[in-house]
Amino acid sequence: MNDDLDGKILEEIEKNPENSFQNMAKKLGISKGTVRNRILKMKENGLLIDYKVRINHKSVGREDVFVGLDILPEEFIDALEKIKSFSFVKELYATTGDHVAIAYVVENSKNIVECIKMIAGVKGVKKTYPAFVQKVLK
């Protein structure tokens, strides 16, 4: 598939991840079943990774932090698997640029530093570069 219709469905999801299949179908002039089937197929094929609601974590006593990671090449895969297993790591990216990976961490404000220390303690992690989110602008 991955045609114009998939693109239109993805645009609708980006605009409003909470939008129902029924509303998307009506707007696009197709059936609810077509929307559902297309989304399932896009997930299966890895085109649609996930969609979610964004939360203002500070308003509920949590911090969210992007942690840049420098990891030894020989430990890279094992380190990422370990980091990925932490419940407070909500997203994990292998990257190029300043860091070889970036973890998105969300945790209770009083425990956030301990979470970063746990990541730093993973075998192969040379250095962590936490960037605390102060305000979401977009």
Side-chain angles (χ1 to χ4, degrees), residues 65-77:
V65 183
F66 288 92
V67 182
L69 302 167
D70 288 348
I71 302 172
L72 295 170
E74 61 272 16
E75 301 290 344
F76 184 74
I77 293 172

PDB file of all heavy atoms in Angstrom, residues 65-77:
ATOM      1  N   VAL A  65      13.364  14.341  30.485  1.00  0.00           N
ATOM      2  CA  VAL A  65      14.749  14.647  30.176  1.00  0.00           C
ATOM      3  C   VAL A  65      15.162  13.884  28.922  1.00  0.00           C
ATOM      4  O   VAL A  65      14.869  12.695  28.787  1.00  0.00           O
ATOM      5  CB  VAL A  65      15.674  14.209  31.341  1.00  0.00           C
ATOM      6  CG1 VAL A  65      17.116  14.581  31.081  1.00  0.00           C
ATOM      7  CG2 VAL A  65      15.204  14.762  32.665  1.00  0.00           C
ATOM      8  N   PHE A  66      15.835  14.581  28.025  1.00  0.00           N
ATOM      9  CA  PHE A  66      16.496  13.916  26.902  1.00  0.00           C
ATOM     10  C   PHE A  66      17.935  13.700  27.325  1.00  0.00           C
ATOM     11  O   PHE A  66      18.618  14.653  27.721  1.00  0.00           O
ATOM     12  CB  PHE A  66      16.419  14.773  25.637  1.00  0.00           C
ATOM     13  CG  PHE A  66      15.043  14.823  25.042  1.00  0.00           C
ATOM     14  CD1 PHE A  66      14.156  15.832  25.388  1.00  0.00           C
ATOM     15  CD2 PHE A  66      14.633  13.844  24.159  1.00  0.00           C
ATOM     16  CE1 PHE A  66      12.877  15.873  24.850  1.00  0.00           C
ATOM     17  CE2 PHE A  66      13.355  13.875  23.614  1.00  0.00           C
ATOM     18  CZ  PHE A  66      12.485  14.893  23.963  1.00  0.00           C
ATOM     19  N   VAL A  67      18.405  12.461  27.255  1.00  0.00           N
ATOM     20  CA  VAL A  67      19.759  12.139  27.704  1.00  0.00           C
ATOM     21  C   VAL A  67      20.571  11.665  26.506  1.00  0.00           C
ATOM     22  O   VAL A  67      20.330  10.587  25.960  1.00  0.00           O
ATOM     23  CB  VAL A  67      19.742  11.052  28.804  1.00  0.00           C
ATOM     24  CG1 VAL A  67      21.164  10.781  29.296  1.00  0.00           C
ATOM     25  CG2 VAL A  67      18.833  11.458  29.965  1.00  0.00           C
ATOM     26  N   GLY A  68      21.536  12.511  26.098  1.00  0.00           N
ATOM     27  CA  GLY A  68      22.472  12.113  25.058  1.00  0.00           C
ATOM     28  C   GLY A  68      23.429  11.086  25.627  1.00  0.00           C
ATOM     29  O   GLY A  68      23.842  11.194  26.794  1.00  0.00           O
ATOM     30  N   LEU A  69      23.787  10.096  24.839  1.00  0.00           N
ATOM     31  CA  LEU A  69      24.626   9.000  25.328  1.00  0.00           C
ATOM     32  C   LEU A  69      25.833   8.779  24.435  1.00  0.00           C
ATOM     33  O   LEU A  69      25.706   8.733  23.210  1.00  0.00           O
ATOM     34  CB  LEU A  69      23.810   7.705  25.365  1.00  0.00           C
ATOM     35  CG  LEU A  69      22.549   7.727  26.213  1.00  0.00           C
ATOM     36  CD1 LEU A  69      21.686   6.516  25.912  1.00  0.00           C
ATOM     37  CD2 LEU A  69      22.905   7.790  27.675  1.00  0.00           C
ATOM     38  N   ASP A  70      26.972   8.658  25.065  1.00  0.00           N
ATOM     39  CA  ASP A  70      28.176   8.174  24.387  1.00  0.00           C
ATOM     40  C   ASP A  70      28.404   6.760  24.884  1.00  0.00           C
ATOM     41  O   ASP A  70      28.505   6.526  26.096  1.00  0.00           O
ATOM     42  CB  ASP A  70      29.386   9.053  24.707  1.00  0.00           C
ATOM     43  CG  ASP A  70      29.310  10.415  24.028  1.00  0.00           C
ATOM     44  OD1 ASP A  70      28.445  10.587  23.148  1.00  0.00           O
ATOM     45  OD2 ASP A  70      30.115  11.291  24.377  1.00  0.00           O
ATOM     46  N   ILE A  71      28.467   5.809  23.957  1.00  0.00           N
ATOM     47  CA  ILE A  71      28.568   4.395  24.301  1.00  0.00           C
ATOM     48  C   ILE A  71      29.737   3.785  23.524  1.00  0.00           C
ATOM     49  O   ILE A  71      29.906   4.061  22.338  1.00  0.00           O
ATOM     50  CB  ILE A  71      27.259   3.655  23.948  1.00  0.00           C
ATOM     51  CG1 ILE A  71      26.070   4.288  24.677  1.00  0.00           C
ATOM     52  CG2 ILE A  71      27.368   2.168  24.275  1.00  0.00           C
ATOM     53  CD1 ILE A  71      24.710   3.751  24.241  1.00  0.00           C
ATOM     54  N   LEU A  72      30.506   2.953  24.202  1.00  0.00           N
ATOM     55  CA  LEU A  72      31.600   2.248  23.524  1.00  0.00           C
ATOM     56  C   LEU A  72      31.040   1.390  22.395  1.00  0.00           C
ATOM     57  O   LEU A  72      30.041   0.689  22.590  1.00  0.00           O
ATOM     58  CB  LEU A  72      32.344   1.356  24.516  1.00  0.00           C
ATOM     59  CG  LEU A  72      33.085   2.061  25.650  1.00  0.00           C
ATOM     60  CD1 LEU A  72      33.557   1.045  26.686  1.00  0.00           C
ATOM     61  CD2 LEU A  72      34.263   2.849  25.090  1.00  0.00           C
ATOM     62  N   PRO A  73      31.671   1.423  21.227  1.00  0.00           N
ATOM     63  CA  PRO A  73      31.141   0.665  20.080  1.00  0.00           C
ATOM     64  C   PRO A  73      30.951  -0.829  20.361  1.00  0.00           C
ATOM     65  O   PRO A  73      29.954  -1.416  19.950  1.00  0.00           O
ATOM     66  CB  PRO A  73      32.188   0.886  18.986  1.00  0.00           C
ATOM     67  CG  PRO A  73      32.897   2.134  19.374  1.00  0.00           C
ATOM     68  CD  PRO A  73      32.858   2.201  20.872  1.00  0.00           C
ATOM     69  N   GLU A  74      31.883  -1.421  21.083  1.00  0.00           N
ATOM     70  CA  GLU A  74      31.792  -2.858  21.333  1.00  0.00           C
ATOM     71  C   GLU A  74      30.677  -3.226  22.322  1.00  0.00           C
ATOM     72  O   GLU A  74      30.300  -4.391  22.437  1.00  0.00           O
ATOM     73  CB  GLU A  74      33.141  -3.422  21.813  1.00  0.00           C
ATOM     74  CG  GLU A  74      33.659  -2.827  23.110  1.00  0.00           C
ATOM     75  CD  GLU A  74      34.497  -1.567  22.952  1.00  0.00           C
ATOM     76  OE1 GLU A  74      34.472  -0.931  21.881  1.00  0.00           O
ATOM     77  OE2 GLU A  74      35.185  -1.222  23.926  1.00  0.00           O
ATOM     78  N   GLU A  75      30.154  -2.257  23.040  1.00  0.00           N
ATOM     79  CA  GLU A  75      29.073  -2.487  23.998  1.00  0.00           C
ATOM     80  C   GLU A  75      27.745  -1.901  23.536  1.00  0.00           C
ATOM     81  O   GLU A  75      26.743  -1.976  24.250  1.00  0.00           O
ATOM     82  CB  GLU A  75      29.439  -1.855  25.354  1.00  0.00           C
ATOM     83  CG  GLU A  75      30.694  -2.379  25.975  1.00  0.00           C
ATOM     84  CD  GLU A  75      30.560  -3.809  26.471  1.00  0.00           C
ATOM     85  OE1 GLU A  75      29.418  -4.304  26.618  1.00  0.00           O
ATOM     86  OE2 GLU A  75      31.599  -4.446  26.705  1.00  0.00           O
ATOM     87  N   PHE A  76      27.727  -1.307  22.346  1.00  0.00           N
ATOM     88  CA  PHE A  76      26.592  -0.522  21.878  1.00  0.00           C
ATOM     89  C   PHE A  76      25.264  -1.278  21.943  1.00  0.00           C
ATOM     90  O   PHE A  76      24.300  -0.824  22.570  1.00  0.00           O
ATOM     91  CB  PHE A  76      26.863  -0.022  20.454  1.00  0.00           C
ATOM     92  CG  PHE A  76      25.805   0.876  19.900  1.00  0.00           C
ATOM     93  CD1 PHE A  76      25.678   2.179  20.346  1.00  0.00           C
ATOM     94  CD2 PHE A  76      24.927   0.429  18.921  1.00  0.00           C
ATOM     95  CE1 PHE A  76      24.702   3.020  19.837  1.00  0.00           C
ATOM     96  CE2 PHE A  76      23.948   1.260  18.405  1.00  0.00           C
ATOM     97  CZ  PHE A  76      23.835   2.562  18.866  1.00  0.00           C
ATOM     98  N   ILE A  77      25.186  -2.434  21.327  1.00  0.00           N
ATOM     99  CA  ILE A  77      23.922  -3.174  21.247  1.00  0.00           C
ATOM    100  C   ILE A  77      23.461  -3.628  22.627  1.00  0.00           C
ATOM    101  O   ILE A  77      22.302  -3.442  22.999  1.00  0.00           O
ATOM    102  CB  ILE A  77      24.037  -4.363  20.271  1.00  0.00           C
ATOM    103  CG1 ILE A  77      24.211  -3.830  18.851  1.00  0.00           C
ATOM    104  CG2 ILE A  77      22.807  -5.272  20.361  1.00  0.00           C
ATOM    105  CD1 ILE A  77      24.528  -4.868  17.812  1.00  0.00           C
TER     106      ILE A  77
END
